[in-house]
Amino acid sequence: MESPTITASRSVSRRGEKRFHVEISKTGGGEVVAQGLPAWLSTLSAGPASARGPESASPQPPTRAAPNTAQTCRHLHSKVSQALRDGRVSATELCRKCIDQIQRTHYLNAFITITGETAMEQAQRADNRIRTGKPLGPLDGIPFSVKDNFCTENIKTTCASKMLKGYVPPFSATVVQKLLDQGAVLVGKTNLDEFAMGAGSTDGVFGPVRNPWSYTTLYREQSTEDPDSDWAISGGSSGGSAAAVAALSSFLALGSDTGGSTRNPGSLCGVVALKPTYGLLSRHGLIPLVNSMDVPGIMTRSVHDAATVLRILQGRDERDSTTVQAPSTPPSLPEHFDIRDICVGIPKEYHAPGLSTDTLAQWSRVAAMFEQAGARVQEVSLPHTQHSIVCYHVLCCCEVASNMARFDGLEYGHRSTIDSSTDAMYATTRHEGFNNVVRRRILSGNYFLLKSNYERYFVKAQQMRRLITEDLKNVFRSGIDVLLTPTTLSDAARYTDFIQEDNRTRSAQEDVFTQPVNMAGLPAVTVPTALSRRGLPISLQLIGQTLQDWKLLTVAHWMEQQVNFPMIHLHGDSDERKLDRSVRERTHTIGS
Amino acid sequence: MVGVVGLEVHAQIQSTSKLFSGSHVRFLAPPNSLVSHFDASLPGTLPVLNRRCVEAAVLTGLALNCTINRKSLFDRKHYFYADMPAGYQITQQRVPIAVNGMLVYSHFEGRRRNQVVTKSVKIKQIQLEQDSGKSLHDDEQSQTLIDLNRAGVGLMELVMEPEMCCGEEAAAAVRELQLILQALGTCQANMAEGQLRVDANVSVHRPGEPLGVRTEVKNINSVRHLAKAIDYEIQRQMEVLQSAGKVLNETRAFDSKSGNTIPMRDKEGLQDYRFMPEPNLPPLFVYESKASVPAGVDPAQVVVIDRLSAQLPELPSVKRTRLVETYGILQEHSFTLVNEDGLMDYFENVVQTTKAEPRKVIGWVIKELMGNLNSQNLKVSQSPISPCALAELINLAESGHISSSTAKQVFQEMWKAPEKTVGQIVKEQDLWMINDKEELQKICRRIVDSHPEEVQIIRRGNKKVLNKLMGEVQRETKGRTDPVQVRAILEKMVS
């Protein structure tokens, strides 16, 4: 029974925000001069282009936010789980609303499979449990969705590839099963880049995912084009999951994160996205991209919810030998937490070419917030980070080449009709089944793994990986608790702009801030902080120490409370507000 | 020129479940009935190492005097094959579980092949790896049928250095290895059932010169064929070189019908396996002793060398020495006893239930029993005569109730009619020894009377002819007489 009340969270949030403003006024002219902050961050933070929270004192805020009432939707599922238990809303009602919302927002193309029927049955069972006072836990009756590269028993699992079109796994991934065992209601499988290879959710056989924020009034009012041609990408590869949470058709969603695939779309769609420590969550049933970096990711509307889900999903799984025992964690994130005990590192290498001014402004704004609140903020260096993306590319391709070898059309999945010989069948099956992106990575991977190339590519990349890991270790050893970085270079690109470059280029650009963490196996979380000029979310990433996921989330929770990120309002869609209001009204009616 | 032979042995680990999955291991189960999600390489499945398989490899390593690596690693070896669903095999290419061992074996030399010569061959390494499934090609319908029951079964690959010189040595080494594996219970080691698969690397060179180009001979399904295949291949290579030809580096298959090796359609020659560390399996640690298991790790859940050393059974070489010392039998006989599955137990059982000298028992076991078993191609366990029955028979002969020649006759009768007891057969066929002096006198008198010419010759001094009379007595009595007694009586009568 953790769930904090809305009022509590809101008041904390206000307090934080006020303190921030008070501090600013002290420094005079709204300029933040922070001692520990790197000069490039401090200077820019005061610039007129700085993106601020909704209560920003800037005369003409470049970024805008929805009205403050939207704040009530933070921690939605915690609230909802309480509402469920109090009988203010039923699980079937919630499930129906989510499925309606999926259908209403079908243009986002966030879902590949909608499991309406089984979801309603699950919701019914949840209602029965809740009615008899025996809920399975905080997630009982809560609708969730799952990226379509997690196996779901008796439910199609496609990886957005022709290769697995129509494939129905006979078992569920451990993380999916754990949610089901908790009574959570699976509403659907979400869209992605084919086999999770991409950073835009634009390269799957079911077509691209659209960013819900490009259907808000704010975005549409700025656009001169029609909604079908001007829209932003969701980010990827877990774009469908991020869009599902952002568009309020799920309270939580599972993504996978290999180089940023959960954090990137989480960031671009303005949801909280956690990439836990490698090994903390089981990969059993997650169709692999890079086994040594893949982690199931958690996407929610609030840090608090992410913590609730993490607590349920973490821990050793005998079916995944790389899992570790989870450190013991309290039932919920601490409400009172002294940020002054925390030392925040700002890695200077993350001040990278191509970083948008909006994003940089957010980075400096939040860094200043930490500093103003009494946290120690300090510039740090990760000298090998610059080599990370190319090494990541080599290792990724190698494992892809290996992991994709099983798709030969014999046991399952697509099989070519060419059967003149086994080899011919393999070749055509794989040619027909995989898209260009997958095939290119397989080709590169096989090249890197050739006996004559192995030392030059794979071994070198692994050596560099160790140096990158060492860099991070050293930083944490020096007393840093968390690193604060941008998650992406900028807000979400327009689809038509994004596809001007190929997948390989985009992945290299988009993963630049996210993939070093995967190389080192560390936990990281992205939290939306504000909207850009275009009305699209900008998020920041916090990176923690191995197995210190809880501490990371504690800091993220604090940060979330300070930034006042606005709630989404889809253009011309009043129904979602109805859903929201229905919960809220009931809360108020019965609660007071 | 001389032959140089190295061996690569794949030994299927005797365990109830597979190396990385929980499916059962059974020979001749219905096709595809022992296939887990992992074995079929369903996406999202992960390998989970079977401790029993690791223990089997460590036990085998210890028995073969190997160094057990405290930390070993798994790798992926990539190639496409219909019966290997993942597109790669998980093996131990970089750091195998055991290295630097030695196998001591013996074979026989000399004209009567009874001189025991003991040799040894280095074991380069023992690595754990997955077995593949089986493909069945139906050429008529142009299709391939796949059975994944065997896919993922644990294998130990043993690599023996090229230190043998002929088929016989290789066969003796493999036979000894089979015995060791069977004694350990780590592999049933039946070549015909594929539990032990041996590929031979064969080359020829002039002593002192660098090794020649080698060929790999596959498709060998018995120890006998191994010797044949190697000797054929050595001969073939020598002939190629003598006719100024070149030996190709190729894979050849042994054809048991013709006794030849023939080139296989070989795609593997140019294969690049693109080895890569297996990312889903952490390094495999084994510990010296319970004390060296790190805190927080349950010693019952890990592999501890001390615990396994204590479990090592009596190995074949030790058994042989013990047999020679305990029973005073010939060393060559100790090999037969140990090398034939179950024969040593059979022999010891007979020895325990008879008063006869072990040295007499060994004659029965090796000549009569093995003679019959071999001629009918039976195993010791299939013998129609139990150790008890044989002991009973030997006892009758020892006590003089039947003659030794009768005993051999009875043995054959027992073989044909295993349901009958020794007593029944002797009685039914009236084979008891004639020990009655008067009766013997009567019989001898009859023979002497009916052979006057022979008697004359003997009386003239040609004692040899007495043997003919003895033979007549034996024939008359169907061998139920004691030759010593009969000779004495006859000598008296003709003198």
Side-chain angles (χ1 to χ4, degrees):
Chain A
M1 234 44 88
E2 69 295 342
S3 38
T5 63
I6 318 141
T7 37
S9 71
R10 207 195 302 159
S11 73
V12 168
S13 155
R14 279 205 181 132
R15 200 167 48 229
E17 198 67 24
K18 262 184 200 152
R19 186 159 61 188
F20 175 60
H21 284 287
V22 169
E23 302 290 346
I24 284 177
S25 65
K26 268 186 203 163
T27 59
E31 208 167 290
V32 180
V33 179
Q35 289 178 328
L37 282 184
W40 45 270
L41 258 190
S42 311
T43 327
L44 278 162
S45 73
S50 100
R52 292 253 165 84
E55 291 166 81
S56 164
S58 291
Q60 273 197 317
T63 59
R64 290 179 240 177
N68 220 2
T69 50
Q71 286 298 309
T72 51
C73 262
R74 302 275 100 200
H75 306 293
L76 195 50
H77 102 231
S78 316
K79 262 190 348 187
V80 165
S81 81
Q82 192 56 50
L84 278 168
R85 269 173 234 194
D86 297 346
R88 282 172 274 140
V89 66
S90 73
T92 39
E93 217 174 320
L94 263 184
C95 180
R96 169 55 48 212
K97 301 253 185 211
C98 282
I99 289 164
D100 287 349
Q101 181 70 353
I102 294 171
Q103 273 148 5
R104 238 188 335 261
T105 58
H106 69 94
Y107 54 86
L108 297 176
N109 200 20
F111 284 82
I112 292 173
T113 304
I114 302 164
T115 51
E117 213 170 291
T118 52
M120 287 307 284
E121 286 166 21
Q122 287 169 29
Q124 189 59 59
R125 286 198 291 276
D127 275 338
N128 294 343
R129 286 188 297 267
I130 293 165
R131 205 175 312 118
T132 52
K134 287 173 192 154
L136 292 170
L139 297 186
D140 205 354
I142 302 285
F144 75 105
S145 43
V146 173
K147 188 179 184 181
D148 210 22
N149 62 348
F150 285 93
C151 292
T152 43
E153 190 177 352
N154 296 327
I155 297 169
K156 278 185 275 183
T157 299
T158 67
C159 287
S161 175
K162 187 180 178 191
M163 190 55 97
L164 283 180
K165 242 183 180 175
Y167 172 66
V168 179
F171 67 98
S172 285
T174 298
V175 284
V176 172
Q177 195 57 52
K178 279 186 169 183
L179 291 175
L180 293 173
D181 291 346
Q182 286 284 315
V185 175
L186 177 65
V187 292
K189 301 292 293 289
T190 59
N191 204 350
L192 63 152
D193 288 298
E194 182 160 331
F195 282 100
M197 294 179 209
S201 298
T202 52
D203 281 317
V205 76
F206 298 103
V209 179
R210 300 181 183 187
N211 193 322
W213 290 89
S214 45
Y215 292 92
T216 57
T217 312
L218 196 54
Y219 188 92
R220 298 262 57 102
E221 280 171 353
Q222 293 182 59
S223 173
T224 52
E225 289 171 54
D226 74 280
D228 262 341
S229 56
D230 178 11
W231 46 271
I233 58 156
S234 63
S237 62
S238 315
S241 285
V245 174
L248 310 176
S249 44
S250 281
F251 288 89
L252 73 104
L254 293 181
S256 62
D257 196 311
T258 309
S261 276
T262 293
R263 286 161 291 152
N264 175 287
S267 167
L268 300 186
C269 291
V271 303
V272 172
L274 170 68
K275 175 237 172 267
T277 298
Y278 182 84
L280 192 57
L281 267 61
S282 169
R283 291 180 295 115
H284 170 74
L286 165 61
I287 298 177
L289 176 58
V290 184
N291 299 282
S292 64
M293 297 185 215
D294 290 344
V295 191
I298 298 168
M299 293 168 154
T300 55
R301 299 181 195 173
S302 74
V303 174
H304 192 280
D305 291 350
T308 306
V309 177
L310 175 69
R311 214 168 163 270
I312 283 159
L313 296 185
Q314 68 184 1
R316 252 189 69 79
D317 178 8
E318 60 174 27
R319 281 164 299 187
D320 176 357
S321 307
T322 62
T323 50
V324 295
Q325 190 73 43
S328 64
T329 38
S332 68
L333 294 174
E335 273 309 311
H336 302 289
F337 157 72
D338 197 344
I339 198 68
R340 287 173 299 185
D341 297 339
I342 294 297
C343 187
V344 180
I346 308 286
K348 66 175 177 191
E349 289 80 4
Y350 278 64
H351 188 202
L355 184 62
S356 77
T357 48
D358 274 3
T359 306
L360 180 57
Q362 281 305 309
W363 191 11
S364 66
R365 169 193 169 220
V366 173
M369 272 182 183
F370 273 104
E371 179 135 84
Q372 298 299 335
R376 203 144 54 81
V377 179
Q378 185 180 311
E379 187 182 75
V380 297
S381 174
L382 300 166
H384 295 97
T385 292
Q386 52 176 319
H387 307 298
S388 192
I389 192 75
V390 63
C391 294
Y392 169 79
H393 180 69
V394 169
L395 298 174
C396 175
C397 288
C398 290
E399 285 204 34
V400 163
S402 177
N403 288 332
M404 296 294 140
R406 69 188 56 213
F407 298 101
D408 56 12
L410 291 187
E411 288 80 15
Y412 43 80
H414 175 70
R415 185 193 288 188
S416 166
T417 52
I418 305 292
D419 61 355
S420 54
S421 75
T422 311
D423 284 344
M425 194 181 78
Y426 286 155
T428 47
T429 294
R430 290 164 66 77
H431 184 84
E432 293 162 6
F434 293 137
N435 70 5
N436 266 335
V437 176
V438 178
R439 292 207 305 271
R440 279 178 193 157
R441 290 203 196 181
I442 291 172
L443 184 65
S444 320
N446 280 325
Y447 175 78
F448 297 141
L449 287 176
L450 285 176
K451 204 175 176 187
S452 52
N453 291 340
Y454 185 77
E455 289 286 327
R456 275 193 292 163
Y457 294 99
F458 188 86
V459 172
K460 281 273 177 298
Q462 287 283 46
Q463 286 167 342
M464 188 51 71
R465 182 179 186 176
R466 194 184 310 142
L467 293 174
I468 291 161
T469 308
E470 280 304 314
D471 276 358
L472 286 157
K473 267 191 191 158
N474 289 337
V475 161
F476 288 119
R477 217 176 281 139
S478 76
I480 299 289
D481 296 293
V482 291
L483 296 173
L484 177 69
T485 77
T487 314
T488 54
L489 288 166
S490 65
D491 57 0
R494 256 170 65 124
Y495 175 70
T496 45
D497 294 335
F498 187 80
I499 57 171
Q500 295 305 310
E501 294 284 354
D502 68 4
N503 178 292
R504 156 98 181 81
T505 311
R506 285 299 182 206
S507 297
Q509 289 168 348
E510 294 297 320
D511 292 344
V512 67
F513 296 144
T514 46
Q515 49 73 35
V517 162
N518 298 80
M519 297 280 263
L522 303 180
V525 63
T526 175
V527 176
T529 62
L531 295 180
S532 68
R533 293 182 180 91
R534 298 162 62 215
L536 297 176
I538 294 171
S539 306
L540 293 179
Q541 172 178 241
L542 286 168
I543 300 170
Q545 288 166 269
T546 300
L547 293 173
Q548 303 262 351
D549 303 56
W550 203 253
K551 181 178 181 182
L552 173 72
L553 288 176
T554 305
V555 178
H557 187 214
W558 181 89
M559 180 170 112
E560 176 189 47
Q561 288 169 331
Q562 316 308 309
V563 294
N564 270 345
F565 181 72
M567 188 67 206
I568 192 167
H569 290 287
L570 297 180
H571 188 59
D573 180 12
S574 55
D575 290 352
E576 74 81 20
R577 269 185 260 179
K578 264 189 229 153
L579 161 73
D580 183 36
R581 203 181 306 128
S582 75
V583 174
R584 204 167 59 234
E585 280 167 0
R586 280 158 203 256
T587 310
H588 288 299
T589 322
I590 301 171
S592 55
Chain B
M1 280 199 286
V2 293
V4 177
V5 182
L7 299 176
E8 273 178 38
V9 181
H10 286 91
Q12 223 176 51
I13 297 171
Q14 198 179 338
S15 63
T16 49
S17 58
K18 296 184 179 179
L19 182 56
F20 297 120
S21 81
S23 18
H24 285 273
V25 176
R26 217 165 60 232
F27 186 63
L28 288 179
N32 295 310
S33 62
L34 307 173
V35 185
S36 70
H37 298 157
F38 175 80
D39 305 329
S41 79
L42 295 195
T45 53
L46 298 168
V48 178
L49 184 58
N50 178 350
R51 194 173 70 234
R52 155 70 196 165
C53 292
V54 179
E55 287 174 343
V58 171
L59 271 172
T60 306
L62 291 172
L64 295 174
N65 314 297
C66 290
T67 306
I68 307 297
N69 278 326
R70 299 302 185 264
K71 177 185 169 185
S72 61
L73 303 170
F74 289 97
D75 305 281
R76 290 181 180 181
K77 176 182 180 178
H78 299 89
Y79 57 97
F80 283 107
Y81 208 79
D83 53 27
M84 211 190 44
Y88 56 82
Q89 176 197 36
I90 304 178
T91 179
Q92 294 195 300
Q93 189 229 0
R94 289 167 300 163
V95 188
I97 180 108
V99 292
N100 299 331
M102 184 183 287
L103 172 66
V104 179
Y105 65 97
S106 302
H107 67 113
F108 297 95
E109 282 179 0
R111 229 157 39 108
R112 289 184 53 226
R113 312 213 54 80
N114 58 356
Q115 272 172 268
V116 178
V117 182
T118 300
K119 292 187 172 158
S120 68
V121 57
K122 280 197 219 63
I123 308 275
K124 183 172 171 246
Q125 63 186 56
I126 301 176
Q127 65 197 48
L128 281 165
E129 62 185 33
Q130 294 172 300
D131 207 342
S132 64
K134 283 181 183 168
S135 297
L136 221 124
H137 303 287
D138 179 350
D139 286 334
E140 261 170 45
Q141 295 196 46
S142 166
Q143 59 179 1
T144 302
L145 302 170
I146 298 164
D147 177 8
L148 294 181
N149 281 351
R150 203 181 69 178
V153 169
L155 290 179
M156 295 179 277
E157 185 185 312
L158 292 98
V159 182
M160 292 187 206
E161 299 281 13
E163 295 173 343
M164 292 160 283
C165 69
C166 62
E168 198 188 336
E169 279 189 11
V174 167
R175 185 70 197 109
E176 187 69 5
L177 177 66
Q178 279 181 312
L179 294 171
I180 291 171
L181 295 174
Q182 285 161 348
L184 294 170
T186 57
C187 172
Q188 288 173 308
N190 184 333
M191 284 184 75
E193 289 184 7
Q195 290 143 352
L196 198 77
R197 278 161 260 156
V198 184
D199 299 335
N201 292 319
V202 180
S203 63
V204 297
H205 73 147
R206 283 193 181 75
E209 287 182 8
L211 292 180
V213 174
R214 68 187 170 92
T215 61
E216 188 177 6
V217 185
K218 289 182 178 239
N219 197 31
I220 302 167
N221 58 12
S222 74
V223 173
R224 217 156 43 88
H225 286 166
L226 174 68
K228 265 187 161 181
I230 290 170
D231 289 340
Y232 174 88
E233 184 58 19
I234 290 173
Q235 198 56 45
R236 186 191 70 82
Q237 290 186 12
M238 286 182 178
E239 282 165 15
V240 166
L241 294 177
Q242 274 151 11
S243 58
K246 260 189 174 175
V247 175
L248 299 176
N249 178 217
E250 61 182 354
T251 306
R252 299 177 70 88
F254 177 66
D255 176 28
S256 57
K257 277 185 200 140
S258 64
N260 298 348
T261 67
I262 40 182
M264 281 172 92
R265 217 158 51 96
D266 184 24
K267 282 177 241 152
E268 291 186 16
L270 296 165
Q271 189 87 274
D272 188 320
Y273 292 116
R274 290 157 287 131
F275 282 101
M276 186 190 89
E278 166 56 63
N280 294 318
L281 289 166
L284 165 58
F285 288 100
V286 298
Y287 301 98
E288 184 67 47
S289 63
K290 226 175 135 178
S292 56
V293 177
V297 177
D298 179 1
Q301 296 299 314
V302 295
V303 177
V304 179
I305 296 173
D306 277 3
R307 202 161 55 202
L308 292 172
S309 309
Q311 284 173 24
L312 280 175
E314 188 179 49
L315 293 175
S317 57
V318 181
K319 271 184 198 163
R320 291 188 198 104
T321 313
R322 180 175 61 82
L323 288 170
V324 171
E325 284 170 2
T326 314
Y327 303 113
I329 58 171
L330 293 171
Q331 198 187 4
E332 61 194 86
H333 288 158
S334 75
F335 273 87
T336 313
L337 285 183
V338 172
N339 290 19
E340 279 308 321
D341 189 21
L343 192 62
M344 187 188 82
D345 286 344
Y346 192 106
F347 166 76
E348 291 196 296
N349 262 331
V350 178
V351 168
Q352 275 159 26
T353 37
T354 175
K355 288 154 237 149
E357 282 283 303
R359 270 195 285 190
K360 276 193 180 161
V361 175
I362 195 79
W364 277 97
V365 167
I366 285 182
K367 277 204 199 108
E368 265 66 39
L369 180 73
M370 282 314 296
N372 277 26
L373 288 174
N374 284 341
S375 68
Q376 293 184 30
N377 216 356
L378 295 176
K379 293 178 199 157
V380 174
S381 59
Q382 292 170 308
S383 163
I385 299 175
S386 70
C388 271
L390 179 59
E392 217 179 313
L393 177 64
I394 296 174
N395 281 345
L396 285 183
E398 277 294 295
S399 58
H401 287 89
I402 54 173
S403 70
S404 58
S405 60
T406 305
K408 280 170 190 162
Q409 196 183 328
V410 173
F411 183 89
Q412 295 307 332
E413 292 301 322
M414 289 163 74
W415 193 272
K416 280 181 242 163
E419 70 282 359
K420 290 182 185 168
T421 64
V422 182
Q424 269 175 325
I425 291 170
V426 173
K427 199 179 164 195
E428 271 173 29
Q429 308 207 2
D430 193 20
L431 297 173
W432 295 113
M433 187 87 113
I434 302 166
N435 284 327
D436 182 32
K437 261 230 156 124
E438 263 179 46
E439 204 185 335
L440 276 177
Q441 290 273 4
K442 260 192 234 163
I443 295 164
C444 287
R445 174 53 58 198
R446 227 172 20 242
I447 297 298
V448 167
D449 288 352
S450 58
H451 292 80
E453 278 176 37
E454 283 82 356
V455 174
Q456 282 302 319
I457 297 167
I458 295 163
R459 283 183 178 152
R460 266 189 246 121
N462 192 344
K463 298 277 182 193
K464 273 186 193 162
V465 180
L466 191 70
N467 290 338
K468 190 181 175 192
L469 295 183
M470 281 186 65
E472 289 298 320
V473 173
Q474 287 291 353
R475 196 158 58 205
E476 177 103 9
T477 62
K478 294 178 201 149
R480 292 180 298 144
T481 50
D482 175 11
V484 181
Q485 274 192 54
V486 172
R487 176 173 276 271
I489 294 169
L490 285 175
E491 275 177 345
K492 216 171 178 188
M493 282 182 177
V494 297
S495 62

